[in-house]
């Protein structure tokens, strides 16, 4: 697309009033008005028109300075992305049209034209005042996006709230829907007298209407904020002011207050950490947390307000949810600093506030959960981004043409719009945005590593102080731009506090996409007493090589030594000097990374070599994938003596590729040792499953499951009868997670013919029989759920022989006995869940998955009706999502059009937003067909259904629209579906060329 000419904003938004005068929960109706105070910024001081963002609202009346406006246009280009032409059904054409429609109404890209264009009356234009007050009365009738009404049989559970996907406030009131345009606000909400209305800012007054049936809540926002960060929630909330922090208030639905109070102490710690770490007070005078039902996202941050899913709440008896809820709470508060207070300068800077918020939230959790948890979490985040980018193409974090310059464009000039890929919440799927946000916080961490944490915090503190100074003066509009942070501004702040040049880093990691994959091997050169390291780099096609400094850690007898090497090519060789002297001895003393001296047995290695093992980028300072070639004896030694849990997990993963008795012994030692981090022991159990099964096939082990069963009984069984479990005591979190993992790992072991050994069934029967939670202060629902998962892992494909046989010294049990027991337990627990449901229905979810495994293995007939029943409202949302995923898998297997239409209809009509999204994601995960394979489901009717819904049925929900586009891509690729006339391909290619420039609207002189 061609560049649009730069154009100054015609006006400055000084203040906005938003008043919601009526909310009807029965009719899903909302009515109100908004008044915008705008100041002309043209050279003549006059305005001919004002462009605002507005979607799906019905405009009732428009007036400017009290004069009614009859001349205005209201057009939403996203209502129908593409013309209704059957021969143009490919994704390339859709993406081009979608890109153009979104850009044409985005303040940063368009030439002042948005959905709602109001022409200034002639009498006001001729005598233009310094400020215009534009009032717009509007209503919403059953909105399909932006506002969600939660229905309930009991009126006290009725509630509504607004939600967004980026800048989508236009879905429920007219505004300048841009992060660049900030102003002060007054927000008034009229709600039923029994309800509470919560919105941004500080609650100044509550008034009861004259009829006594309604109440008006008046909020004032004195800190300039952007329209996308405005939200509201109305319902019969129970209110809980924080007893320690009076500026903090919690809101939840009835009967949830006891579990809500469980968050209090932790939130106080979060606020204390941020204010101390950032050396800056919380940017607002108050903060409100509202917990609602049926949310798209677990957390949604707005200025002074956070809207959270009630599913995050948990009692003190639940362990597993803690490690989900607390990081999200820490992130939500961090987003108040970065994302609500400090805003992105442009869409090219989308990554910056997300990255800063994720970075400080991670450090907060490091303090709460410990540095070991943080290191393990960083490793998981790096692997998640690396794996995704290796398989999918993502845009660079900063995609502005020409890269980054210190001098950024003027605030009153829109960003030049080009065809280069850009991060925009209206154009990307939720998964892509999650991965990019994860990559953003890892990039921020990499920047901190390069300049130092102290200097980095000085630069961040400078941005915060400028923002605080701007927000303190609510009358000086010129200072308001200081709350906008940009990539160029961050680099400038870093250069002012540090002399280090990060230009190459920025161009490579921020302005480019992709991640590198390194393969390392080394050998010891005796004559020179050094290690010769060979490093090979692979990058995605179209990506430049990654260069920079990388740390290599070499463990020698005299200690752990770090070397900094420069990676500057795809193939590099580096000489790393050794520091230890050569000594031939069976037993040697070694100094580990912690400084501890230990005695090791080197009889199984080359004892005259001082190098024990080598690690590439041990601190995950790069976002990368790394494989290191080392002997299995080296990995065993690294596992035993290295103290870094990430190194231990890497050693475990590598040992899984070389199953042997020595590897089995090393992994068993890890399981038995309580000094290892629990995640290391869990991973050892997972890999041990593969080692045991492989060793059983080769005949190198007898009684392959017995060692793990005996270890489990030694750890968790009683002394008198090891097969009887002790009373549950989950006070040791590490032991609890290992207890959950071991049964599943043991149940996954297979005998030489691929069946489940008999001793595993007896082991599982004892677990169910003797599990007792009477004396435990924690719930065992997740443990029982893991036991059912273990039952499902025992199931193998239908056996051909009904008899119990002996083969290779193993007792093989009749499959029917296993299946009968599994089915009995699943049925019993599923029925019990109807009477006494577990937290988040985790046991029911495991039961459904187990039934699906039984079906796939041929032990039960495939019955879609079983899962259909759980897709309907009335069940916990996670259970519904599991049923939908199982049904999508069945559709792929059976090619049933009726079931496919059932899911697509569910995605169109269900009231739960997450359920609708899950349908598209599940079908994309288990596609019923792809372009390469023939299928009776691949029909013109299905193409029409998906295409029409994609281009015109989801205009008010960009998340659903992009998820449906992803499904369309999975099914048909990026070209025209084969079932459509082949003539369309030629037309598509021509159309693609013809639509490569953004249509520039006609400009009216001002």
């Amino acid at each position: 697309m061609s560049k649009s000419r730069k154009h100054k904003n015609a006006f400055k938004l000084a203040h906005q009033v938003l008043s919601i005068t009526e909310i009807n929960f029965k009719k899903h109706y909302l009515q109100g008005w908004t008044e915008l105070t705008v100041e002309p910024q043209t050279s003549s001081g006059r305005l001919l028109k004002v462009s605002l963002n507005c979607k799906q609202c019905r405009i009732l009346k428009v007036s400017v300075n009290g004069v009614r406006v009859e001349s205005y246009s209201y057009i939403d280009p996203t209502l129908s992305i593409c013309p209704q032409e059957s021969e143009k059904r490919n994704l390339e054409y859709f993406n081009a049209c979608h890109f153009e429609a979104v850009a044409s109404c985005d303040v940063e890209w368009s030439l002042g034209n948005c959905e709602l264009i109001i022409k200034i009356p002639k009498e006001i234009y001729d005598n233009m005042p310094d400020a215009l007050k534009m009032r717009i009365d509007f209503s919403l009738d059953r909105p399909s996006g932006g506002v969600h009404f939660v229905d309930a049989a009991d009126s006290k559970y009725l509630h509504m709230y607004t939600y967004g996907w980026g800048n989508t406030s236009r879905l429920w009131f007219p505004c300048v829907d841009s992060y660049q345009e900030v102003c002060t606000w007054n927000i008034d909400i009229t709600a039923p007298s029994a309800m509470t209305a919560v919105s941004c800012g500080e609650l100044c007054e509550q008034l009861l209407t004259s009829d006594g049936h309604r109440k008006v809540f008046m909020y004032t926002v004195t800190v300039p904020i952007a329209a996308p960060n405005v939200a509201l929630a109305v319902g019969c909330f129970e209110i809980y002011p924080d007893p320690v922090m009076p500026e903090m208030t919690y809101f939840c639905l009835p009967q949830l207050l006891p579990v809500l109070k469980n968050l209090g102490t932790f939130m106080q710690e979060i606020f204390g950490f941020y204010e101390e770490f950032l050396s800056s007070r919380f940017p607002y005078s108050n903060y409100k947390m509202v917990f609602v039902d049926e949310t798209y996202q677990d957390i949604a941050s707005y200025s002074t307000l956070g809207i959270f899913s009630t599913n995050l709440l948990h009692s003190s008896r639940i362990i597993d949810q803690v490690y989900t809820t607390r990081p999200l709470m820490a992130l939500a508060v961090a987003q108040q600093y970065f994302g609500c207070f400090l805003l992105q300068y442009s869409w090219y800077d989308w990554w910056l506030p997300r990255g800063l918020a994720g970075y400080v939230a991670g450090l907060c959790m490091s303090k709460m959960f410990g540095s070991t948890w943080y290191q393990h979490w960083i490793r998981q985040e790096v692997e998640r981004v690396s794996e995704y980018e290796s398989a999918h193409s993502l845009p660079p974090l900063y995609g502005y043409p020409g890269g980054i310059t210190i001098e950024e464009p003027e605030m009153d000039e829109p960003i030049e719009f080009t065809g280069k890929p850009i991060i925009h919440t209206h154009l990307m799927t939720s998964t892509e945005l999650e991965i990019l946000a994860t990559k953003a916080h890892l990039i921020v961490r990499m920047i901190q590593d390069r300049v130092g944490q102290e200097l980095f915090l000085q630069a961040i503190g400078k941005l915060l102080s400028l923002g605080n100074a701007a927000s303190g003066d609510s009358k000086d509009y010129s200072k308001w731009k200081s709350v906008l942070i940009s990539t160029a501004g961050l680099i400038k702040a870093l250069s002012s506090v540090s002399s280090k040049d990060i230009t190459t880093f920025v161009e490579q990691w921020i302005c480019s996409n992709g991640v590198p994959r390194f393969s390392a091997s080394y050998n010891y050169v005796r004559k020179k007493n050094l290690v010769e390291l060979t490093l090979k780099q692979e990058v995605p096609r179209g990506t430049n090589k990654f260069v920079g400094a990388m740390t290599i850690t070499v463990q020698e007898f005299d200690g752990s030594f770090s070397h900094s090497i420069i990676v500057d090519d795809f193939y590099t060789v580096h000489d790393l000097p050794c520091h230890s002297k050569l000594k031939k001895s069976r037993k040697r003393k070694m100094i580990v990374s912690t400084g501890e001296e230990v005695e090791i047995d080197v009889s199984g290695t080359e004892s005259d070599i001082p190098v024990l093992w080598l690690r590439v980028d041990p601190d995950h300072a790069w976002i990368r994938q790394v494989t290191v070639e080392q002997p299995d004896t080296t990995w065993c030694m690294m596992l035993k003596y290295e103290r870094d849990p990430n190194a231990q997990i890497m050693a475990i993963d590598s040992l899984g590729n070389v199953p042997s008795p020595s590897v089995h012994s090393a992994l068993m030692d890890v399981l038995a040792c309580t000094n290892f981090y629990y995640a290391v022991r869990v991973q050892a159990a997972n890999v041990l499953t593969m080692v045991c099964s492989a060793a059983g096939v080769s005949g190198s082990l007898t009684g392959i499951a017995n060692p793990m069963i005996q270890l489990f009984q030694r750890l968790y069984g009683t002394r008198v009868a090891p097969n009887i479990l002790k009373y549950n005591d989950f006070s040791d979190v590490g032991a609890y997670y290992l207890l959950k993992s071991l049964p599943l790992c043991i149940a996954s072991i297979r005998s030489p013919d691929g069946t489940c050994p008999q001793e595993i069934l007896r082991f599982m029967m004892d677990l169910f029989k003797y599990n007792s939670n009477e004396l435990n202060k924690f719930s065992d629902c997740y443990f029982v759920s893991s036991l059912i998962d273990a039952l499902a892992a025992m199931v193998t494909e239908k056996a051909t022989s009904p008899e119990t046989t002996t083969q290779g010294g193993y007792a093989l049990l009749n499959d029917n006995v296993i299946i009968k027991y599994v089915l009995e337990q699943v049925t019993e627990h599923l029925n019990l869940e109807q009477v006494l449901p577990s937290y988040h229905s985790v046991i029911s979810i495991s039961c459904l998955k187990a039934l699906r495994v039984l079906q796939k293995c041929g032990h039960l007939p495939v019955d879609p009706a079983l899962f259909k029943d759980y897709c309907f409202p009335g069940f916990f949302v996670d259970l519904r999502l599991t049923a939908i995923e199982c049904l999508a898998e069945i559709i792929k297997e059976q090619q049933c059009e009726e079931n496919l239409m059932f899911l697509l209809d569910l995605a169109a009509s269900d009231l739960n937003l997450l359920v609708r999204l899950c349908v598209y994601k599940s079908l994309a995960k288990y596609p019923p067909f792809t372009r390469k394979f023939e299928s009776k489901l691949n029909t013109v009717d299905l193409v029409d259904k998906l295409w029409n819904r994609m281009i015109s049925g989801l205009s008010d929900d960009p998340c659903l629209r992009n998820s449906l586009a992803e499904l369309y891509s999975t099914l048909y690729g990026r070209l025209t579906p084969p079932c459509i006339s082949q003539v369309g391909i030629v037309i598509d290619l021509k159309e693609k060329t013809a639509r490569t420039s953004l249509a520039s609207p006609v400009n009216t002189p001002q």
Side-chain angles (χ1 to χ4, degrees):
M1 297 196 176
S2 62
K3 297 181 180 180
S4 60
R5 74 175 177 84
K6 290 193 173 182
H7 170 89
K8 286 190 176 182
N9 290 338
F11 62 89
K12 170 62 186 171
L13 182 61
H15 184 74
Q16 184 162 354
V17 178
L18 174 62
S19 178
I20 305 300
T21 56
E22 181 182 353
I23 301 175
N24 191 313
F25 286 87
K26 183 177 293 186
K27 296 181 179 180
H28 292 192
Y29 178 82
L30 182 149
Q31 184 173 329
W33 58 270
T34 184
E35 183 181 81
L36 299 88
T37 303
V38 301
E39 297 182 359
Q41 300 292 301
T42 59
S43 56
S44 63
R46 295 184 177 185
L47 277 177
L48 185 61
K49 62 180 181 179
V50 172
S51 295
L52 301 175
N53 296 114
C54 185
K55 287 168 64 74
Q56 79 171 345
C57 296
R58 180 184 179 189
I59 304 300
L60 304 177
K61 185 176 71 172
V62 178
S63 63
V64 178
N65 285 10
V67 179
R68 183 156 186 163
V69 177
E70 301 294 343
S71 177
Y72 64 86
S73 67
Y74 185 24
I75 301 174
D76 180 7
T78 64
L79 279 176
S80 183
I81 294 294
C82 310
Q84 299 282 349
E85 300 179 28
S86 60
E87 66 271 14
K88 301 175 184 178
R89 300 296 177 96
N90 69 69
L91 207 59
E92 293 286 352
Y93 177 61
F94 169 81
N95 287 340
C97 297
H98 192 197
F99 212 29
E100 182 176 325
V102 171
S104 65
C105 288
D106 194 289
V107 175
E108 293 182 24
W109 289 337
S110 66
L111 299 178
N113 290 282
C114 299
E115 296 93 345
L116 178 60
I117 302 177
I118 302 172
K119 187 176 180 180
I120 304 299
K122 186 177 185 304
E123 56 267 38
I124 296 178
Y125 178 80
D126 292 339
N127 300 283
M128 186 68 64
D130 294 336
L132 298 175
K133 292 187 179 294
M134 309 186 64
R135 171 165 170 157
I136 305 166
D137 293 59
F138 63 93
S139 65
L140 279 172
D141 190 4
R142 297 195 175 277
S144 57
V147 181
H148 186 59
F149 288 85
V150 180
D151 296 324
D154 192 337
S155 60
K156 69 179 180 181
Y157 293 107
L158 291 173
H159 61 287
M160 61 81 65
Y161 56 89
T162 61
Y163 66 94
W165 205 254
N167 57 333
T168 51
S169 289
R170 68 188 77 182
L171 290 171
W172 60 284
F173 72 98
C175 59
V176 182
D177 204 5
S178 169
Y179 292 100
Q180 282 191 354
E181 200 69 52
V182 297
C183 68
T184 54
W185 294 70
N186 285 101
I187 303 173
D188 301 338
I189 306 167
T190 302
S193 57
M195 293 186 173
T196 302
V198 189
S199 188
C200 304
E202 188 169 354
L203 180 62
C204 299
E205 194 173 1
Q206 296 183 46
L207 298 177
L208 197 64
T209 58
S210 56
D211 58 9
H213 298 308
R214 297 181 299 170
K215 191 184 295 184
V216 182
F217 296 81
M218 300 181 178
Y219 289 88
T220 301
V221 185
T222 57
V223 177
I225 65 174
N229 285 332
V230 174
L232 64 89
V234 179
C236 298
F237 300 121
E238 294 188 9
I239 306 174
Y240 176 61
D242 193 287
V244 176
M245 298 185 301
E247 65 274 17
M248 178 86 182
T249 310
Y250 307 88
F251 301 83
C252 68
L253 297 174
Q255 300 182 0
L256 293 179
L257 191 58
V259 291
L260 174 66
K261 293 181 179 179
N262 192 39
L263 290 174
T265 304
F266 179 68
M267 294 303 298
Q268 296 157 17
E269 294 177 2
I270 291 176
F271 275 86
F273 172 83
Y274 287 146
E275 293 187 352
E276 179 182 354
F277 182 74
L278 297 172
S279 300
S280 176
R281 288 189 58 81
F282 187 68
Y284 302 110
S285 60
N286 64 87
Y287 183 56
K288 302 170 284 290
M289 299 178 68
V290 185
F291 291 86
V292 297
D293 201 9
E294 298 182 0
T295 59
Y296 241 151
Q297 303 163 291
D298 287 332
I299 62 170
S301 294
Y302 307 93
S303 299
T304 76
L305 171 67
I307 295 181
F308 302 84
S309 170
T310 55
N311 299 337
L312 295 177
L313 295 175
H314 61 88
S315 71
S316 58
R317 300 188 70 243
I318 302 297
I319 297 176
D320 299 66
Q321 188 63 34
V322 170
Y323 293 91
T324 300
T325 295
R326 292 193 175 187
L328 289 174
M329 295 299 169
L331 178 61
V333 178
Q335 288 173 344
Q336 291 296 310
Y337 286 90
F338 308 105
C340 294
F341 179 62
L342 296 183
L343 305 166
Q344 65 188 51
Y345 180 86
S346 72
W347 283 114
Y348 296 105
D349 304 299
W350 176 92
W351 74 276
L352 185 53
R354 277 88 183 166
L356 290 172
Y359 164 74
V360 297
L363 293 179
C364 177
M365 298 317 301
S366 175
K367 182 179 179 182
M368 304 301 171
F369 292 155
S371 59
T372 304
W373 178 93
Y374 178 73
Q375 293 170 15
H376 181 60
W377 175 70
I378 288 294
R379 175 182 176 273
Q380 291 176 319
E381 297 285 89
V382 168
E383 288 182 351
R384 183 185 177 202
V385 173
S386 300
E387 291 174 2
Y388 190 88
E389 282 219 73
S390 298
H392 304 82
S393 176
L394 288 176
L397 293 181
Y398 188 91
Y400 192 74
I404 302 173
T405 57
I406 297 298
E407 297 300 328
E408 52 200 1
E410 293 296 325
M411 273 299 306
D412 54 2
E413 296 182 354
I415 301 300
E416 292 185 1
F417 179 72
T418 70
K420 191 171 183 179
I422 183 174
I423 301 173
H424 196 296
T425 53
H426 293 196
L427 300 171
M428 307 190 76
T429 65
S430 58
T431 303
E432 290 173 329
L433 292 173
E434 288 172 8
I435 295 296
L436 287 167
T438 301
K439 184 176 182 179
H441 84 73
L442 293 174
I443 293 293
V444 170
R445 177 177 174 268
M446 293 169 68
I447 295 175
Q448 176 240 273
D449 289 341
R450 279 152 180 76
V451 302
Q453 188 178 85
E454 184 177 352
L455 295 177
F456 181 75
L457 289 178
Q458 287 182 21
I460 300 304
K462 186 176 181 180
L463 298 177
L464 284 169
S465 61
L466 290 173
N468 285 321
S471 62
D473 190 351
S474 60
K475 299 299 181 183
D476 190 352
Y477 309 146
S478 62
K479 292 182 179 179
W480 286 1
K481 67 179 182 180
S482 297
V483 301
L484 303 177
I485 56 175
S486 65
T487 309
L490 175 65
I491 297 174
K492 189 174 182 179
L494 289 171
S495 64
S496 66
V497 299
S498 171
S499 59
K500 295 184 178 180
D501 183 17
I502 62 170
T503 304
T504 303
F505 171 85
V506 170
E507 293 176 353
Q508 182 172 262
W509 290 99
I510 300 177
C511 297
S512 301
N513 58 351
V515 295
R517 178 183 177 89
F518 293 100
S519 300
S521 61
Y522 65 95
N523 61 76
Y524 175 68
V525 182
R526 299 175 186 273
K527 292 183 178 180
K528 298 181 180 180
N529 192 28
L530 56 82
V531 172
E532 186 181 73
L533 172 68
T534 302
L535 203 62
K536 298 178 182 179
Q537 178 184 169
E538 298 176 9
V539 297
R541 181 178 298 178
T543 304
N544 297 325
K545 63 184 177 184
F546 287 77
V547 299
M550 178 179 286
T551 300
I552 307 295
T553 301
V554 179
Q555 178 65 54
E556 304 178 27
F557 287 111
D558 291 347
S560 179
F561 299 93
S562 295
H563 306 267
S564 181
I565 64 172
I566 301 298
V567 179
D568 55 5
D569 209 339
F570 292 107
Y571 182 89
T572 54
V573 179
H574 308 273
D575 293 336
L576 311 177
C578 292
H579 302 77
S580 302
K581 296 179 181 179
L582 292 171
K583 291 182 180 179
K584 290 188 177 182
S585 175
R586 184 176 181 275
K587 291 190 175 182
R588 298 284 301 273
K589 289 187 179 294
M590 178 187 68
I591 301 176
V592 295
S593 56
T594 58
E596 176 188 359
E597 186 177 73
V598 296
E599 186 177 60
I600 63 173
D601 186 356
V602 295
S603 57
T605 63
E606 298 181 59
S607 58
D608 58 342
I609 295 180
V611 178
L612 297 174
W613 63 80
L614 180 144
R615 297 179 62 196
V616 177
D617 187 28
D619 297 323
H620 290 83
W622 289 48
I623 304 175
R624 79 296 181 274
Q625 292 178 311
V626 174
T627 56
V628 182
E629 295 180 14
Q630 295 185 126
D632 56 340
T633 53
T634 300
W635 290 118
C636 287
M637 195 174 299
M638 180 176 170
L639 173 60
K640 186 174 181 180
Y641 297 108
E642 178 60 67
R643 297 297 183 257
D644 185 349
N646 288 335
Q648 294 166 347
I649 291 176
M650 184 178 183
I652 290 171
D653 291 338
S654 300
L655 289 173
N657 300 322
V658 285
S660 66
S662 61
V663 170
H664 181 273
S665 177
L667 295 177
M668 288 295 295
D669 290 341
V670 173
L671 279 181
C673 182
T674 57
N675 292 332
F676 284 92
Y677 184 53
Y678 80 87
V680 177
R681 300 174 74 189
V682 169
Q683 185 63 14
N686 292 327
V687 174
L688 196 55
T689 298
M690 298 183 293
V691 172
C692 288
S693 298
V697 172
S698 64
S700 57
L701 286 176
T702 58
I704 53 177
N706 286 332
M708 290 187 71
I709 293 175
Q710 292 169 2
L711 176 63
F712 181 92
Q713 293 173 344
R714 188 165 70 248
L715 292 174
Y716 302 106
T718 60
R719 291 184 179 180
V720 179
N723 65 309
I724 299 178
L725 271 179
K726 299 176 184 176
Y727 283 109
N728 289 340
D729 181 7
F730 300 158
S731 55
D732 185 337
V733 175
Y736 163 70
Y737 277 105
L738 184 62
L739 172 65
K740 286 203 316 172
S741 301
L742 275 177
L744 176 61
C745 297
I746 293 172
S748 301
I749 295 175
R750 295 293 178 260
S751 55
D753 67 345
T755 58
C756 182
Q758 182 178 4
E759 61 266 23
I760 293 180
L761 176 61
R762 290 197 296 265
F763 167 71
M764 293 302 303
M765 293 175 70
D766 287 340
L767 288 182
F768 277 97
K769 182 178 181 179
Y770 297 116
N771 176 48
S772 175
N773 207 55
E774 295 177 0
L775 304 181
N776 192 10
K777 65 179 181 179
F778 298 103
S779 170
D780 70 339
C781 60
Y782 281 93
F783 174 56
V784 174
S785 171
S786 68
L787 292 183
I788 296 173
D789 292 338
L791 286 179
M794 293 169 55
V795 178
T796 57
E797 291 188 7
K798 195 170 183 178
T800 56
S801 173
E803 301 293 331
T804 302
T805 61
T806 302
Q807 180 178 346
Y810 301 99
L812 306 179
L813 196 64
N814 186 339
D815 244 359
N816 293 332
V817 180
I818 295 180
I819 302 309
K820 182 180 178 181
Y821 181 74
V822 172
L823 194 56
E824 284 178 354
Q825 290 296 326
V826 168
T827 305
E828 178 183 338
H829 284 86
L830 203 53
N831 291 334
L832 184 60
E833 283 279 283
Q834 305 297 324
V835 181
L836 189 64
S838 58
Y839 178 77
H840 283 187
S841 297
V842 291
I843 296 178
S844 292
I845 290 172
S846 293
C847 289
L848 280 190
K849 291 179 179 179
L851 290 174
R852 179 62 192 137
V853 171
L854 289 168
Q855 291 179 352
K856 287 192 293 185
C857 292
H859 301 289
L860 287 179
V862 178
D863 182 14
L866 170 66
F867 301 101
K868 278 186 179 180
D869 292 341
Y870 286 95
C871 291
F872 292 108
F875 297 97
F876 184 72
V877 63
D878 287 359
L879 184 58
R880 298 183 66 194
L881 302 187
T882 301
I884 290 171
E885 188 167 321
C886 291
L887 190 56
E889 192 177 11
I890 292 174
I891 293 171
K892 181 178 181 179
E893 176 185 320
Q894 292 189 331
Q895 297 288 294
C896 178
E897 183 179 4
E898 179 185 353
N899 294 329
L900 178 59
M901 292 301 110
F902 169 80
L903 282 187
L904 292 178
D905 292 342
L906 190 68
S909 60
D910 199 271
L911 297 179
N912 193 306
L913 305 171
L914 203 56
V915 169
R916 299 171 67 189
L917 180 63
C918 178
V919 170
Y920 296 135
K921 287 191 171 184
S922 298
L923 289 174
K925 182 178 180 181
Y926 301 105
F929 59 88
T930 60
R931 186 181 182 86
K932 297 180 180 179
F933 301 98
E934 294 290 334
S935 171
K936 63 180 182 180
L937 298 179
N938 189 359
T939 62
V940 175
D941 290 341
L942 179 62
V943 174
D944 289 341
K945 189 180 188 72
L946 297 178
W947 179 263
N948 292 335
R949 185 179 299 180
M950 190 166 62
I951 66 171
S952 61
L954 299 170
S955 62
D956 300 326
D957 198 320
C959 179
L960 280 180
R961 171 172 269 170
N962 294 324
S963 295
L964 179 54
E966 183 181 34
L967 170 61
Y968 196 88
S969 174
T970 303
L971 298 178
Y972 305 111
R974 305 188 71 82
L975 301 178
T976 303
C979 56
I980 301 296
S981 172
Q982 296 300 316
V983 180
I985 298 179
V986 178
I987 297 176
D988 290 336
L989 295 176
K990 292 180 180 179
E991 190 69 25
K992 180 181 176 183
T993 305
R995 299 184 65 90
T996 53
S997 60
L998 177 65
S1000 300
V1002 178
N1003 297 309
T1004 308
Q1006 298 174 341

